[in-house]
Amino acid sequence: MGESMSSVLVAPSLLACDLARVSEEVCDVVAGGADRLHFDVMDGVFVPNLTFGPGLCAAVRRHTVLPLDVHLMVADPTPLVEPFAAAGANLLSVHVETVTHLERTLRRVRELGIRPGVALNPATSLAVLDEVWPWIDFVLLMTVNPGFGGQSLIPSCLDKLGRLHRLASERGWPGEIAVDGGVEAGNAGELRRLGADVLVAGTAVFGQSDRRGAIAALRGESR
Ligand code: DX5
Ligand code: ZN
């Protein structure tokens, strides 16, 4: 083991995999010890990039029993909740910046048997969580501006992660803190120490040929 004994979860983001070989890529990270699979859904409106929809989720569902974690980076996520439920999503986050009637949307997610979460852009204040805590099972703290893989983590987001962890602990909130964007072996230790329960990582997993080693490195395990 490395410096941390924490049991951080690792969620490889399929945004960075070879989509022409998605079943092999999924099997490789599943065999390599991934805890869940992260789907970056982008609409070209909320973020300047376009990716995939529920079809990919349903296709991957046939290859693994791991939890599927859907991150909706779309201007209007609410109509997509039911299609992703039908596609087999187990966790689903919407950006607080995009939903007007957040309680209604998150309640629908939970009614469908999916763990609801909210994603926060780097510029979004943690204060938005004040009313939201009871409705969510996790916070997806963006550590880059969403839209693209392979960006560098924004350093000020580390302080924000520490503050989020303190807020959650003070409330006795039982949910998870996930961090997303620019996560790599070089900053994973600090992210774990600051209170991340889940590390979402695209490039740091799929950009490495040894996926088992890459996942172990994010956990702080020496091999
Ligand atoms: C960014 C996405 C991330 C992305 C992370 O918009 O939400 O999930 O896949 O990619 P890396 O780990 O390469 O920064
Ligand atoms: Zn993501």
Side-chain angles (χ1 to χ4, degrees):
M1 292 293 290
E3 80 276 31
S4 170
M5 299 298 287
S6 74
S7 55
V8 76
L9 302 179
V10 176
S13 166
L14 295 181
L15 184 65
C17 84
D18 180 352
L19 284 173
R21 299 171 47 250
V22 69
S23 66
E24 291 165 56
E25 294 282 69
V26 165
C27 292
D28 203 18
V29 294
V30 170
D35 295 292
R36 54 183 67 156
L37 298 172
H38 185 85
F39 287 75
D40 286 308
V41 178
M42 306 185 187
D43 67 350
V45 179
F46 177 62
V47 291
N49 195 5
L50 191 60
T51 58
F52 34 73
L56 184 70
C57 201
V60 168
R61 179 76 292 169
R62 294 193 282 274
H63 291 276
T64 180
V65 296
L66 279 192
L68 307 183
D69 168 30
V70 174
H71 175 192
L72 295 181
M73 286 162 279
V74 303
D76 186 12
T78 305
L80 291 177
V81 168
E82 309 232 355
F84 275 102
N90 303 99
L91 303 99
L92 185 144
S93 56
V94 296
H95 272 263
V96 292
E97 302 87 2
T98 62
V99 183
T100 307
H101 305 294
L102 196 52
E103 190 276 341
R104 181 189 292 156
T105 298
L106 294 168
R107 177 157 40 87
R108 187 68 190 131
V109 173
R110 197 167 261 165
E111 282 168 359
L112 289 164
I114 301 174
R115 297 174 62 187
V118 287
L120 270 57
N121 277 342
T124 299
S125 168
L126 296 174
V128 299
L129 294 170
D130 280 355
E131 309 302 329
V132 171
W133 294 109
W135 310 330
I136 54 172
D137 289 354
F138 69 102
V139 174
L140 185 69
L141 190 72
M142 295 309 300
T143 40
V144 298
N145 293 298
F148 301 95
Q151 304 180 76
S152 297
L153 181 142
I154 297 169
S156 62
C157 293
L158 295 171
D159 178 70
K160 189 180 183 187
L161 170 61
R163 285 184 283 120
L164 173 58
H165 179 64
R166 277 195 296 282
L167 275 178
S169 304
E170 281 162 17
R171 292 185 65 91
W173 179 69
E176 290 175 344
I177 298 174
V179 293
D180 186 7
V183 174
E184 56 183 14
N187 57 31
E190 186 161 18
L191 294 168
R192 295 194 310 272
R193 275 192 299 279
L194 287 167
D197 302 301
V198 182
L199 301 177
V200 175
T203 310
V205 173
F206 286 107
Q208 306 284 319
S209 53
D210 174 9
R211 273 69 187 273
R212 173 170 289 278
I215 291 168
L218 293 173
R219 288 195 217 283
E221 295 168 358
S222 52
R223 301 182 66 248

